[in-house]
């Protein structure tokens, strides 16, 4: 089939995509789910292993209590019902990354069921159902050697605790899928369940998608898409598949029930081969682990001690700080950023001003550096001090932003940088008037333009004063003094 770029409006109106997402999230425990091996990311391959996670004969799993607690917290945060008992099952399939020949997972009795989360797209709030949250273990990591004929295996990851979060097929567009993943990531970070780094594989997403004529309740033929390794890939993969399936249906051709892989390089999905096609996992109860009956008192305790949810924090930011909903959404996406905002406002109670600094400068610098906030030397005290220096007229906003970049890089106090580099604003009228006179004398064309009514020329002349003072002139004073110098010049003529 030819590569198709988009659907015309008529086809879009006639057909509706139905999307469900399966998200795997690695739990941030110190040790693995069924043994005491550490889970540190990036260690030398095959150094964090033992007979249990290597699947050696006779080794017995012991359930990690902390993993259950984090999984429970995730399920509760997603408003799931917690059944009185859940159990573990063996999911059997053969693949080199699975040392035991089966994966310990949960099949018919998951930890949590019937939850939901809310997303907001273009101002419309929609509730997306969560069918189930279950626990399982990671497989080993396969490393395909570039240009080689073999694959390497790293068992450090085997046995790292995971939860799988399965949504109901309530999602209708790629934008909603994106919003769902953003909210899910946010919730998991707030709950300190997972760092949810897609690039390190601690959050992975597969999609189930079908297309049907609009107005029916009948589901179309389901296609599973795998191998979407970034936010962008999820969006692009879904967009492609919606177009492909809609075209098939409108041409009267059947959609084949299958698993397809997103091919990033070619920008298409293609049928998967191998293990993805084998769906008979022959699940049966794990005989080495007893069913898990969660003590209701413990469930209640975990629920009572859960941190605030992102939706609650957003509402609070709008209510208590008077922020626009958009600011609250941007600031609250990452709990560390939201915490930084609150700590800064406690020191400098101008919420909108602080929000502007974070949304414009902090997030841009973090993005450029590819770092989380905690990995930078930036502290709330720095931003509060910088805002005060601007308010006091010590530096102007342009200089403040330069200073901020330096604070961000090395964590020095803003006032110290301003003093050391002589960046304090020049508010000395006689010194600035001298510069203004020079600028007026040295730019006869701009002066002529200004006198003939071109207001823009004033901006140019003030800009020259800023330039001559390396951006340190007080802008209002500079404008007044350029006007004064112009008047003087006219008086002399
Ligand atoms: Zn182990």
């Amino acid at each position: 089939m030819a590569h198709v770029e988009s659907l015309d409006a008529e086809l879009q109106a006639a057909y509706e995509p139905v999307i469900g997402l399966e998200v795997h999230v690695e739990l941030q425990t110190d040790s693995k789910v069924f043994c005491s091996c550490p889970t540190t990311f990036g260690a030398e391959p095959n150094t964090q292993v033992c007979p249990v996670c290597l699947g050696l004969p006779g080794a017995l799993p012991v359930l990690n209590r902390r993993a259950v607690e984090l999984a429970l917290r995730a399920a509760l945060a997603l408003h799931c019902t917690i059944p009185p008992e859940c159990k573990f099952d063996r999911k059997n399939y053969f693949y080199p990354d699975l040392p035991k020949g089966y994966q310990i997972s949960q099949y018919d009795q998951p930890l949590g069921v019937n939850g939901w989360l809310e997303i907001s797209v273009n101002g419309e709030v929609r509730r997306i159902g969560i069918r189930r949250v279950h626990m399982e273990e990671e497989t080993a990591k396969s490393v395909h050697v570039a240009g080689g004929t073999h694959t390497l295996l790293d068992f450090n990851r085997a046995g790292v605790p995971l939860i799988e979060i399965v949504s109901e097929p309530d999602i209708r567009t790629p934008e909603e899928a994106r919003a769902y993943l953003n909210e899910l990531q946010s919730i998991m970070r707030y709950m300190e369940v997972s760092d949810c780094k897609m690039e390190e594989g601690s959050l992975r997403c597969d999609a189930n998608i079908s297309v049907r004529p609009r107005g029916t309740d009948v589901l179309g033929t389901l296609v599973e898409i795998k191998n979407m390794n970034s936010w962008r890939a999820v969006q692009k993969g879904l967009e492609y598949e919606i177009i492909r399936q809609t075209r098939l249906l409108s041409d009267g051709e059947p959609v084949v029930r299958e698993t397809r892989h997103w091919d990033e390089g070619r920008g298409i999905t293609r049928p998967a081969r191998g293990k993805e096609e084998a769906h008979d996992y022959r699940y049966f109860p794990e005989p080495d682990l007893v069913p898990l009956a969660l003590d209701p008192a413990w469930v209640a305790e975990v629920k009572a001690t859960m941190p605030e949810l992102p939706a609650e924090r957003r509402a609070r930011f709008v209510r208590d700080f008077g922020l626009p909903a958009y600011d609250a959404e941007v600031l609250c996406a990452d709990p560390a950023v939201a915490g930084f905002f609150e700590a800064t406002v406690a020191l400098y109670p101008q919420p909108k001003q602080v929000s502007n600094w974070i949304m414009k400068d902090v997030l841009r610098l973090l993005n450029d550096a590819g770092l989380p906030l905690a990995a930078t030397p930036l502290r709330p005290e720095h931003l509060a001090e910088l805002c005060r220096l601007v308010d006091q007229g010590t530096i102007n906003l342009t200089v403040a932003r330069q200073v901020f970049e330096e604070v961000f890089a090395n964590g020095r106090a803003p006032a110290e940088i301003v003093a050391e580099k002589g960046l304090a604003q020049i508010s000395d009228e006689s010194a600035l008037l001298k510069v203004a006179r020079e600028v007026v004398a040295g730019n006869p064309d701009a002066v002529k333009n200004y006198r003939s009514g071109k207001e823009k020329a004033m901006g140019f002349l003030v800009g020259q004063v800023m330039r001559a003072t390396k951006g340190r002139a007080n802008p209002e004073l500079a404008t007044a003094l350029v006007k004064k110098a112009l008047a003087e010049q006219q008086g002399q003529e």
Side-chain angles (χ1 to χ4, degrees), residues 357-370:
W357 269 101
I358 294 177
M359 295 208 306
K360 281 193 198 125
D361 296 82
V362 177
L363 294 180
R364 176 179 55 83
L365 291 169
L366 287 175
N367 194 39
D368 289 353

Side-chain angles (χ1 to χ4, degrees), residues 25-40:
V25 170
E26 268 185 11
L27 303 178
Q28 52 191 34
T29 52
D30 294 333
S31 56
K32 294 185 181 181
V33 61
F34 299 123
C35 62
S36 56
C37 291
T39 56
T40 327

Side-chain angles (χ1 to χ4, degrees), residues 5-256:
E5 293 296 335
S6 66
L7 290 175
D8 57 40
E10 202 178 315
L11 278 181
Q12 274 188 43
Y15 292 93
E16 171 183 61
V18 176
I19 302 165
L21 296 179
E22 290 176 7
V23 176
H24 284 92
V25 170
E26 268 185 11
L27 303 178
Q28 52 191 34
T29 52
D30 294 333
S31 56
K32 294 185 181 181
V33 61
F34 299 123
C35 62
S36 56
C37 291
T39 56
T40 327
F41 181 82
E44 192 71 14
N46 299 311
T47 54
Q48 300 175 344
V49 292
C50 74
V52 173
C53 55
L54 286 175
L56 300 188
L60 288 173
V62 177
L63 183 59
N64 178 340
R65 182 187 166 93
R66 178 71 179 156
V68 179
E69 186 181 342
L70 292 183
L72 178 60
R73 206 192 265 185
L76 290 169
L78 295 169
H79 309 95
C80 284
T81 301
I82 309 300
E85 188 178 286
C86 63
K87 76 177 201 332
F88 290 92
D89 299 276
R90 290 187 179 180
K91 179 180 180 178
N92 299 278
Y93 63 91
F94 175 76
Y95 206 69
D97 65 10
L98 199 60
K100 297 192 290 288
Y102 59 85
Q103 179 187 31
I104 302 179
S105 180
Q106 294 189 305
Y107 184 51
D108 55 348
Q109 285 183 258
L111 181 87
V113 294
N114 297 331
W116 53 267
L117 64 75
E118 277 180 346
I119 56 165
S120 164
V121 174
N122 301 326
E124 194 201 344
V125 175
R126 289 198 58 220
R127 187 171 280 197
I128 307 296
I130 305 286
R131 182 175 294 172
R132 56 187 282 151
V133 173
H134 71 250
M135 296 182 68
E136 57 186 32
E137 59 178 334
E138 270 281 23
T139 58
K141 188 178 175 194
S142 310
V143 182
H144 304 288
V145 182
T149 54
H150 59 290
T151 295
L152 299 173
L153 288 165
D154 178 6
F155 287 92
N156 286 354
R157 209 184 66 174
V160 166
L162 280 182
I163 49 172
E164 182 173 338
I165 301 161
V166 182
S167 87
E168 294 291 350
D170 293 343
I171 297 165
R172 293 290 170 269
T173 63
E175 294 71 36
E176 286 186 3
R178 177 85 179 243
Y180 172 88
L181 288 175
N182 277 336
E183 186 65 8
L184 195 62
Q185 182 185 50
S186 224
I187 292 171
M188 294 304 133
R189 286 179 175 170
Y190 270 71
M191 293 299 117
E192 293 170 5
V193 160
S194 173
D195 56 12
C196 287
K197 289 181 185 165
M198 221 171 178
E199 65 278 13
E200 288 181 9
S202 60
L203 182 148
R204 301 192 293 276
C205 174
D206 299 332
N208 288 308
I209 171 167
S210 61
V211 168
R212 65 185 174 193
R214 245 175 242 279
T216 72
D217 285 336
V218 186
L219 290 174
T221 307
L222 206 65
V223 170
E224 191 179 9
I225 322 177
K226 288 178 177 279
N227 200 37
M228 299 178 292
N229 297 324
S230 66
W231 288 150
R232 194 183 154 277
V234 172
Q235 174 125 8
K236 294 282 161 199
L238 289 172
E239 280 170 7
Y240 178 86
E241 199 55 25
I242 290 168
I243 294 169
R244 190 186 71 86
Q245 292 185 26
T246 303
R247 286 278 156 96
L248 283 172
L249 291 178
S250 76
D251 291 347
E253 287 179 43
V255 172
V256 178

